[in-house]
Amino acid sequence: MELILEYQSQLLAGTLMTIKLALVSLIISVLLGLLGAWAKLSGNRVAQKTADVYTTVVRGIPDLVLIMLVFYGGQVTINAIGEMSGLWGYLEISQFIAGVGTIGVIFGAYFTETFRGAIMAIPRGQIEAGISCGMPRLLIFSHIIWPQMVRYALPGFTNNWLVQLKTTALVSVIGLQDLVYNAFTAGRSTGQLFTFMAAALFIYLILTAISDIALRALDRHYSRGVVRA
Amino acid sequence: MTVTSALKVENLHKSFGNHEVIKGVSLEAQKGDVIAILGASGAGKSTFLRCINLLETPNSGDVYLAGEKMRMKQNRHGETIPEDIRQVERMRTRLAMVFQGFNLWSHMTVMENILEGPLYVQKIAKAEAVEKAEALLEKVGLSDRVDYYPAHLSGGQQQRVAIARALAMDPDVMLFDEPTSALDPELVGEVLAVMRDLAEEGRTMLVVTHEMGFARDVSSKTVFLHKGEICEEGSPAKLFTKPATDQFKAFLARIN
């Protein structure tokens, strides 16, 4: 315990980095998920195919492989393009951007499917009722689709989010100092790896518990009018 | 003096793929008319109704609402599309629709369902809209269900809320798409009673229905659709006592 207190600032910094990674990548994946779900349901062939390729490819590749590919391969590619076109000089992708971007893109694919399913669960007639009242598209989305979509999407969303939060641990392989990285470093330098890994585990549990409470509150808010069995 | 009809449909065609469902139907409703549209399932009744407010886009034909034509154009693939979606949206607010499946918004209370259109589409002041909504709920006999969600209402009650929701827009023409077909038999009467009241008030209504009693007693004109065409039309007194075509005779025989 004393050891942990001694290293508390590292653990705290790691925890904050983990939270930052998770939240920023969550925003990216939710936006990509909405875009992907829209593309899949748009009826536009090109958009549909693009979204299909995106979800199939991304969901089929191990997260770790993608993270390393983007971090090491992405940098080389961007600089090669810069050199060939002469548009920009040497660029360095920061570990944070590579990590957040990759995790965001990976989970965007899962959110695409979650949101697509949620939108399809809304009875078509309710949308037609909106159309026949003369509601413009945006109003139909914000007043009829969104509130019900959130409700249908929440169980899948919760799942995705919890996995996403834990997946941020993978970025320690590209040297980003998140909770796992810092706990591991502290554990190695003190020779008390078990103690620090236990501390990390405990912190992850606290984070997921907080998420659970917040998501339950959201679920209550968006379950208006639902008859519970 | 020429009177502009409340609703005029001219030579409407609609195909799904290669299958032509509506083969040139024309219909005119004067203000206060109640037109019952009958026909076997698959005759194109619902599709015809849904083409009027563009829930389905007709392949050709014109719709006029109080003389205003719904403007359509061809896109580069040769498909017919609205020329100005704003105009379509504006016209839809004057063409309220009541659906077979009620289609109330399940996350909104009865009051919220009724207020949605007036508040957010027509942008009427809230106090005025609420007052009107309360009056409409009283009219359909549901004043005590203001804060209920649709899932807590019976089918008949839901349909009466849907009618109140349609009336809240103060429409020029009301479109009823088999409003009682999804109801248990004992609940049909309460919905028909509300529709009878509306007819007596002088509302212009197009009613796709299987309720022969309603068509015979309430409609000012009855139209029989057969395979996407008007097979027979006229006053219900004439149609029901002296059906002229074999198709309509056969239809009546099957129904009774």
Side-chain angles (χ1 to χ4, degrees), chain B residues 61-122:
Chain B
D62 293 317
V63 174
Y64 298 85
L65 188 60
E68 183 183 352
K69 181 176 170 178
M70 209 177 274
R71 295 192 305 277
M72 307 294 283
K73 65 174 183 190
Q74 308 272 313
N75 70 7
R76 60 198 157 85
H77 304 294
E79 292 154 352
T80 308
I81 56 165
E83 191 178 299
D84 174 12
I85 190 71
R86 296 269 167 279
Q87 189 214 13
V88 174
E89 285 165 3
R90 216 174 50 241
M91 288 176 83
R92 280 176 177 149
T93 64
R94 298 158 59 196
L95 276 168
M97 187 171 229
V98 175
F99 299 86
Q100 178 175 359
F102 329 131
N103 296 351
L104 293 178
W105 297 306
S106 53
H107 59 301
M108 298 185 195
T109 62
V110 165
M111 183 51 100
E112 287 167 334
N113 263 281
I114 297 176
L115 288 179
E116 182 69 21
L119 285 188
Y120 300 104
V121 180
Q122 295 175 316

Side-chain angles (χ1 to χ4, degrees), chain B residues 65-221:
Chain B
L65 188 60
E68 183 183 352
K69 181 176 170 178
M70 209 177 274
R71 295 192 305 277
M72 307 294 283
K73 65 174 183 190
Q74 308 272 313
N75 70 7
R76 60 198 157 85
H77 304 294
E79 292 154 352
T80 308
I81 56 165
E83 191 178 299
D84 174 12
I85 190 71
R86 296 269 167 279
Q87 189 214 13
V88 174
E89 285 165 3
R90 216 174 50 241
M91 288 176 83
R92 280 176 177 149
T93 64
R94 298 158 59 196
L95 276 168
M97 187 171 229
V98 175
F99 299 86
Q100 178 175 359
F102 329 131
N103 296 351
L104 293 178
W105 297 306
S106 53
H107 59 301
M108 298 185 195
T109 62
V110 165
M111 183 51 100
E112 287 167 334
N113 263 281
I114 297 176
L115 288 179
E116 182 69 21
L119 285 188
Y120 300 104
V121 180
Q122 295 175 316
K123 304 205 164 57
I124 290 171
K126 179 146 191 200
E128 189 189 332
V130 170
E131 197 177 319
K132 202 163 107 190
E134 282 167 350
L136 287 170
L137 279 174
E138 172 137 24
K139 186 207 276 277
V140 299
L142 289 170
S143 295
D144 54 340
R145 295 287 188 271
V146 174
D147 294 321
Y148 280 55
Y149 284 97
H152 296 115
L153 301 176
S154 74
Q157 290 171 330
Q158 289 191 50
Q159 193 59 300
R160 285 185 283 150
V161 173
I163 293 174
R165 174 174 71 178
L167 284 168
M169 308 287 290
D170 238 335
D172 296 336
V173 177
M174 297 183 76
L175 308 172
F176 290 84
D177 188 6
E178 303 201 26
T180 58
S181 299
L183 293 175
D184 291 337
E186 77 268 23
L187 301 176
V188 169
E190 61 189 69
V191 171
L192 288 181
V194 170
M195 290 169 62
R196 255 172 226 268
D197 288 346
L198 295 179
E200 273 164 28
E201 272 173 29
R203 292 267 170 195
T204 314
M205 299 156 65
L206 257 59
V207 186
V208 168
T209 186
H210 290 291
E211 293 295 327
M212 292 305 128
F214 181 85
R216 193 169 46 223
D217 305 338
V218 183
S219 77
S220 50
K221 181 170 158 186

Side-chain angles (χ1 to χ4, degrees), chain A residues 98-119:
Chain A
V100 149
T102 317
I103 294 175
V105 168
I106 293 169
F107 282 87
Y110 294 98
F111 279 108
T112 294
E113 292 304 330
T114 305
F115 291 147
R116 186 177 71 97
I119 292 174

